[in-house]
Amino acid sequence: SYELTQPPSMSVSPGQTASITCSGDKLGNKYASWYQQKAGQSPVLVIYQNNKRPSGIPERFSGSNSGNTATLTIGGTQATDEADYYCQAWDSTFVFGGGTKLTVL
Amino acid sequence: QVQLVQSGSELKKPGASVKVSCKASGYTFINYNMNWLRQAPGQGPEWMGWINTNTGNAIYAQGFTGRFVFSSDTSVSTAYLEIISLKPEDAAVYYCARQGDSGYEFGPWGQGTLVTVSS
């Protein structure tokens, strides 16, 4: 079965750039999506089709996908961006990564 | 705005059944598939499958066949997830999520329904 691998955690200082990676076999040939899940809340779509932002998502969220790696980049990270982030792709079924806990400190 | 509102938390005994509802508003219900996802404590979301709200046809992911039933009622723009013969390992938060416009993503999600299975 298809697997997506994310680093379990990362930390970033306020105002800095956070780059969260998601690895999978030939992931660049698929559409990658990213979700933000704050504590006690449901997931929110922040990037779809590799690099598109839904309405209402700040411009500091961007995405890329090439080769075996998709990347979610958060520029000028704010304290409110502290959350779990999940990548997701379709490979005969919808697959999620294990999630990356982003700490802003 | 597009909104999905799910039914409240449930506490059930092993062997019982539970039915979770997901009421949609702000868009034409039959124009989008509705997905169901499970999130166990400390885990990432897991896709359970979807229901075509126009035809009523359902697709179940591997591991969610047999005891899991998706249904919908277009007259009230509501999708349902029923879990039969609950097991302790079914304890999780269950989410409904609308399929995205491209078909490859989910958004928005409901607020989640916590199902607890305990004797």
Side-chain angles (χ1 to χ4, degrees):
Chain A
S1 60
Y2 194 76
E3 292 186 0
L4 294 173
T5 302
Q6 299 179 236
S9 63
M10 67 177 299
S11 61
V12 63
S13 300
Q16 298 302 108
T17 296
S19 294
I20 302 173
T21 59
C22 173
S23 299
D25 185 46
K26 298 182 177 66
L27 180 57
N29 292 342
K30 311 177 193 302
Y31 280 136
S33 301
W34 290 90
Y35 302 85
Q36 176 194 69
Q37 185 175 30
K38 296 182 180 180
Q41 298 184 20
S42 54
V44 173
L45 180 68
V46 295
I47 292 290
Y48 68 102
Q49 286 188 344
N50 300 328
N51 55 20
K52 297 182 180 179
R53 276 180 295 103
S55 173
I57 300 301
E59 290 184 10
R60 63 178 183 277
F61 288 87
S62 62
S64 63
N65 186 15
S66 179
N68 295 323
T69 304
T71 303
L72 171 69
T73 302
I74 309 173
T77 307
Q78 302 180 3
T80 55
D81 298 328
E82 188 162 286
D84 293 326
Y85 290 86
Y86 296 95
C87 60
Q88 171 255 308
W90 165 265
D91 183 79
S92 303
T93 186
F94 288 106
V95 179
F96 286 83
T100 297
K101 184 176 188 63
L102 178 67
T103 302
V104 181
L105 44 69
Chain B
Q1 76 283 19
V2 177
Q3 194 172 14
L4 303 177
V5 178
Q6 298 183 223
S7 48
S9 298
E10 300 271 8
L11 172 59
K12 296 290 184 180
K13 294 185 182 331
S17 297
V18 67
K19 195 168 188 176
V20 177
S21 66
C22 170
K23 183 170 177 59
S25 61
Y27 72 98
T28 302
F29 183 67
I30 61 172
N31 285 356
Y32 293 84
N33 291 339
M34 189 68 76
N35 294 264
W36 288 96
L37 302 101
R38 179 174 76 181
Q39 188 169 30
Q43 305 282 326
E46 184 178 15
W47 183 65
M48 301 172 64
W50 72 46
I51 183 166
N52 182 316
T53 53
N54 186 35
T55 65
N57 291 335
I59 298 294
Y60 299 91
Q62 194 171 3
F64 294 100
T65 57
R67 297 190 300 113
F68 300 85
V69 181
F70 305 149
S71 60
S72 63
D73 183 342
T74 58
S75 68
V76 289
S77 299
T78 300
Y80 302 94
L81 162 66
E82 184 174 20
I83 310 173
I84 302 164
S85 299
L86 281 161
K87 302 178 180 181
E89 55 263 38
D90 294 327
V93 177
Y94 291 84
Y95 292 100
C96 60
R98 195 186 78 169
Q99 198 118 358
D101 289 327
S102 81
Y104 292 97
E105 72 282 349
F106 308 111
W109 297 50
Q111 84 276 21
T113 297
L114 175 63
V115 174
T116 303
V117 184
S118 174
S119 54

